[in-house]
Amino acid sequence: SLSVRQDMIRQGLEIFHMNPWTGYGAHTGVHVMHEYLPGGYIQDFPFEIHNAYLQIALESGIIGVVAFFFPFLIMARRGITIALHRYTHKKIWFYPFLIEVLLVYYMIQPHSGSLGIPLLGVVLAFISSLHYGYQKTSAKHID
């Protein structure tokens, strides 16, 4: 399994370098691998690359990766801002924990589109609600 994953990443990077800015289109990873590297890992394991970052990059390019992960960068910035703020919040540990879970999850799993997007939406909504609760708590302390 580890050797297949290494081949996936190596071959995926090779194909990514051919079209890095815009990618090849949504759900085209398997087709692109068959077209450009038919003798690669894809002949024995005809599935998406099990690394969501690379898969998203292959499908939508650098522009798509930045757009996809921009909300998470905003949430990470909010978490850091809260952590540096003089008022501490009991749930502050949850920000880095959720971000780490997402980073690890997407490192070892393929991006599943219709399944992954709602999951990301729920996580972003949860982090936003924590942030909103923190803002209300801090506002009470300031008054």
Side-chain angles (χ1 to χ4, degrees), residues 2 11 14 22 28 39 66 68 74 76 83 99 105-106 125 129 134:
L2 182 60
Q11 293 168 18
E14 187 177 322
T22 58
T28 59
V66 170
F68 184 81
I74 297 297
I99 291 170
Y105 173 77
Y106 272 110
S129 71
Y134 171 75

Short mmCIF file of all heavy atoms in Angstrom, two decimals, residues 2 11 14 22 28 39 66 68 74 76 83 99 105-106 125 129 134:
data_model
loop_
_atom_site.label_atom_id
_atom_site.label_comp_id
_atom_site.label_asym_id
_atom_site.label_seq_id
_atom_site.Cartn_x
_atom_site.Cartn_y
_atom_site.Cartn_z
N LEU A 2 1.95 1.25 0.78
CA LEU A 2 2.81 2.42 0.84
C LEU A 2 3.48 2.66 -0.51
O LEU A 2 3.58 3.81 -0.96
CB LEU A 2 3.86 2.27 1.95
CG LEU A 2 4.79 3.45 2.15
CD1 LEU A 2 3.99 4.70 2.49
CD2 LEU A 2 5.80 3.14 3.24
N GLN A 11 3.71 10.08 -9.59
CA GLN A 11 3.11 10.19 -10.91
C GLN A 11 2.12 11.35 -10.99
O GLN A 11 2.03 12.04 -12.01
CB GLN A 11 2.43 8.87 -11.29
CG GLN A 11 3.42 7.75 -11.49
CD GLN A 11 2.78 6.39 -11.57
OE1 GLN A 11 1.57 6.26 -11.81
NE2 GLN A 11 3.58 5.34 -11.37
N GLU A 14 4.10 14.47 -11.43
CA GLU A 14 4.60 14.51 -12.80
C GLU A 14 3.54 15.07 -13.75
O GLU A 14 3.81 15.94 -14.58
CB GLU A 14 5.00 13.09 -13.21
CG GLU A 14 5.70 12.97 -14.52
CD GLU A 14 6.10 11.53 -14.79
OE1 GLU A 14 6.52 10.82 -13.85
OE2 GLU A 14 5.98 11.12 -15.97
N THR A 22 -4.40 25.52 -14.16
CA THR A 22 -5.84 25.28 -14.24
C THR A 22 -6.25 23.83 -14.08
O THR A 22 -7.43 23.54 -13.94
CB THR A 22 -6.40 25.79 -15.59
OG1 THR A 22 -5.71 25.13 -16.65
CG2 THR A 22 -6.25 27.30 -15.71
N THR A 28 -11.45 14.09 -13.27
CA THR A 28 -10.72 13.60 -14.44
C THR A 28 -9.43 12.90 -14.08
O THR A 28 -8.71 12.47 -14.97
CB THR A 28 -10.40 14.76 -15.40
OG1 THR A 28 -9.61 15.72 -14.69
CG2 THR A 28 -11.65 15.40 -15.96
N GLY A 39 0.95 2.98 -18.06
CA GLY A 39 1.67 1.88 -17.42
C GLY A 39 1.99 2.15 -15.97
O GLY A 39 2.68 1.37 -15.32
N VAL A 66 -6.13 27.19 -4.18
CA VAL A 66 -6.18 28.41 -3.36
C VAL A 66 -7.63 28.75 -3.03
O VAL A 66 -7.97 29.04 -1.88
CB VAL A 66 -5.48 29.58 -4.08
CG1 VAL A 66 -5.73 30.90 -3.37
CG2 VAL A 66 -3.98 29.32 -4.17
N PHE A 68 -10.23 26.73 -2.96
CA PHE A 68 -10.82 25.70 -2.12
C PHE A 68 -10.41 25.85 -0.66
O PHE A 68 -11.22 25.71 0.25
CB PHE A 68 -10.42 24.32 -2.63
CG PHE A 68 -11.06 23.18 -1.89
CD1 PHE A 68 -12.35 22.80 -2.19
CD2 PHE A 68 -10.37 22.50 -0.90
CE1 PHE A 68 -12.95 21.75 -1.53
CE2 PHE A 68 -10.96 21.45 -0.23
CZ PHE A 68 -12.26 21.07 -0.54
N ILE A 74 -8.75 31.49 6.34
CA ILE A 74 -9.45 32.53 7.11
C ILE A 74 -9.75 32.02 8.52
O ILE A 74 -9.53 32.74 9.51
CB ILE A 74 -10.76 32.94 6.40
CG1 ILE A 74 -10.46 33.57 5.05
CG2 ILE A 74 -11.59 33.86 7.27
CD1 ILE A 74 -9.66 34.85 5.11
N ALA A 76 -8.16 29.64 10.15
CA ALA A 76 -6.90 29.51 10.88
C ALA A 76 -6.44 30.88 11.38
O ALA A 76 -5.99 31.02 12.53
CB ALA A 76 -5.83 28.89 9.99
N ALA A 83 -6.28 33.29 19.75
CA ALA A 83 -5.24 32.79 20.66
C ALA A 83 -4.35 33.93 21.14
O ALA A 83 -3.90 33.92 22.29
CB ALA A 83 -4.41 31.72 19.97
N ILE A 99 -8.24 21.93 12.52
CA ILE A 99 -7.41 22.19 11.34
C ILE A 99 -6.42 21.05 11.13
O ILE A 99 -6.21 20.59 10.01
CB ILE A 99 -6.71 23.56 11.47
CG1 ILE A 99 -7.77 24.66 11.35
CG2 ILE A 99 -5.63 23.72 10.42
CD1 ILE A 99 -7.31 26.03 11.69
N TYR A 105 -6.46 14.28 7.39
CA TYR A 105 -7.49 13.57 6.61
C TYR A 105 -7.24 13.74 5.12
O TYR A 105 -7.27 12.78 4.36
CB TYR A 105 -8.88 14.08 6.99
CG TYR A 105 -9.97 13.51 6.13
CD1 TYR A 105 -10.44 12.21 6.33
CD2 TYR A 105 -10.55 14.27 5.12
CE1 TYR A 105 -11.45 11.68 5.53
CE2 TYR A 105 -11.55 13.74 4.32
CZ TYR A 105 -12.00 12.45 4.53
OH TYR A 105 -12.98 11.93 3.74
N TYR A 106 -7.02 14.96 4.68
CA TYR A 106 -6.84 15.21 3.26
C TYR A 106 -5.48 14.74 2.76
O TYR A 106 -5.27 14.59 1.56
CB TYR A 106 -7.06 16.68 2.93
CG TYR A 106 -8.51 16.94 2.63
CD1 TYR A 106 -9.30 17.66 3.50
CD2 TYR A 106 -9.09 16.43 1.49
CE1 TYR A 106 -10.63 17.87 3.23
CE2 TYR A 106 -10.43 16.63 1.21
CZ TYR A 106 -11.19 17.36 2.08
OH TYR A 106 -12.51 17.55 1.81
N ALA A 125 -18.70 25.59 9.52
CA ALA A 125 -19.82 26.15 10.30
C ALA A 125 -19.56 26.00 11.80
O ALA A 125 -19.83 26.92 12.57
CB ALA A 125 -21.13 25.46 9.92
N SER A 129 -19.18 29.01 14.43
CA SER A 129 -20.02 29.16 15.62
C SER A 129 -19.16 29.30 16.87
O SER A 129 -19.51 30.07 17.78
CB SER A 129 -20.99 27.99 15.75
OG SER A 129 -20.31 26.81 16.12
N TYR A 134 -17.14 33.07 20.87
CA TYR A 134 -16.01 33.74 21.50
C TYR A 134 -16.19 35.25 21.42
O TYR A 134 -15.93 35.97 22.38
CB TYR A 134 -14.69 33.35 20.81
CG TYR A 134 -13.55 34.19 21.30
CD1 TYR A 134 -12.99 33.97 22.54
CD2 TYR A 134 -13.07 35.24 20.53
CE1 TYR A 134 -11.96 34.76 23.00
CE2 TYR A 134 -12.05 36.04 20.97
CZ TYR A 134 -11.49 35.79 22.21
OH TYR A 134 -10.48 36.59 22.67
#
